[in-house]
Amino acid sequence: MDAEMRSAAYPSPALSAPRWSPEGPSAGAMRADRQPADSGFRIRLMGHEDLAFVVAEHLRHFPDGFFARLGPKFLTAYDRTYLTGPDARAYIAEVNGQLVGFIIGGIDPAAHRRHVLHEHGRGLLLRALGSLCLQPRLALHFLRTRLVRYGRKLIPNRGAQQTSVLGHIGVTAVLDYVVVVEHARGRGIGERLIARFVKDATDAGCVRVTLVTAAEGGAGPYYEQHGWLHQGEIRRSEGRLLLAYDFPLRDG
């Protein structure tokens, strides 16, 4: 549960770790009013009918993630939680009716995690256990690197539940995944997807948006060009090095 585990199992960034597709979007100002070169472009809410596309692209771009290694059935069930949770956001980018990208994240990751556990926890657990039973090496990796950490994060946090009545003021939103299909890159589509998520986080009263990207071959330079602030490095239990970035939404 990497970027995946961050929104559903971690109080800070999502269930695992948010990442950008290998190439990333083209450089340019991250403005919500910038139009891609394509006519017929639009961003819309993700629906259940889009999950096959989202899961296929997720597996194509992030095959080494823990959730991806649990298989497409688990990943489909997990991605579906972003469609049912009020504290999550999931958008699809289209050009002339063709799906060309998506973005998912949590406006309030802790609240979304509680929603996932309450509404989908049993189903996700059964699917994960079934997959781990068929993959002994992955199961051993889970026991060694994630069991204790996930267990701590899955314990209900009464304090967080009580403060949730205050809304999203002061909350850090987490951008989990952004993907633009290869043939549609370089048209500003990624910028528009990110801008849409940032606008939602701003409207909700969040103080910042955070994400991580791979240290090698990731999109760190792109984010820095667009005003994201490098916050440091994260070394995952499997040895993978990630860079953390914040995008401030409010002064101070």
Side-chain angles (χ1 to χ4, degrees):
M1 294 182 184
D2 240 30
E4 299 124 345
M5 251 321 256
R6 212 163 42 180
S7 22
Y10 289 72
S12 53
L15 222 55
S16 71
R19 288 152 282 185
W20 181 266
S21 59
E23 179 179 318
S26 59
M30 189 175 67
R31 297 177 52 195
D33 59 348
R34 182 184 175 199
Q35 294 293 337
D38 310 84
S39 61
F41 172 82
R42 71 166 177 153
I43 293 176
R44 61 170 174 79
L45 289 173
M46 187 183 297
H48 292 276
E49 69 279 5
D50 302 311
L51 287 175
F53 165 80
V54 171
V55 170
E57 292 301 318
H58 186 130
L59 293 172
R60 181 174 293 112
H61 291 93
F62 314 118
D64 297 326
F66 181 71
F67 279 13
R69 294 169 68 188
L70 289 175
K73 290 185 178 180
F74 177 88
L75 197 55
T76 298
Y78 176 71
D79 285 345
R80 188 177 291 117
T81 68
Y82 286 88
L83 310 183
T84 62
D87 301 292
R89 296 293 185 274
Y91 290 106
I92 287 286
E94 289 184 339
V95 175
N96 296 323
Q98 181 182 10
L99 308 187
V100 295
F102 71 87
I103 188 169
I104 57 177
I107 296 300
D108 188 333
H112 180 61
R113 181 177 69 254
R114 293 192 294 271
H115 164 78
V116 171
L117 294 176
H118 184 266
E119 299 295 334
H120 305 278
R122 181 180 176 84
L124 289 173
L125 176 61
L126 292 176
R127 289 186 181 277
L129 290 176
S131 181
L132 291 174
C133 287
L134 297 175
Q135 302 181 76
R137 294 181 65 180
L138 183 61
L140 182 60
H141 173 74
F142 171 78
L143 293 174
R144 287 176 173 175
T145 64
R146 285 175 166 79
L147 179 61
V148 174
R149 176 158 51 97
Y150 284 5
R152 290 172 178 169
K153 299 302 182 181
L154 292 172
I155 297 175
N157 188 326
R158 290 186 179 181
Q161 292 176 342
Q162 292 172 352
T163 58
S164 64
V165 297
L166 299 176
H168 304 103
I169 303 301
V171 169
T172 295
V174 174
L175 195 165
D176 290 315
Y177 291 99
V178 184
V179 168
V180 175
V181 298
E182 188 172 358
H183 67 81
R185 293 176 189 164
R187 304 176 185 176
I189 293 172
E191 296 174 35
R192 290 290 300 261
L193 284 167
I194 295 174
R196 181 63 174 267
F197 184 83
V198 168
K199 181 180 185 303
D200 284 357
T202 302
D203 292 345
C206 296
V207 68
R208 68 180 63 84
V209 180
T210 188
L211 59 80
V212 300
T213 186
E216 265 189 64
Y222 166 82
Y223 289 116
E224 291 177 12
Q225 289 174 11
H226 289 77
W228 293 73
L229 306 179
H230 181 222
Q231 298 299 314
E233 299 179 347
I234 300 172
R235 177 74 67 176
R236 292 297 184 197
S237 54
E238 62 271 23
R240 193 158 43 103
L241 185 63
L242 304 174
L243 304 179
Y245 286 90
D246 281 357
F247 189 79
L249 303 179
R250 298 175 181 277
D251 292 340

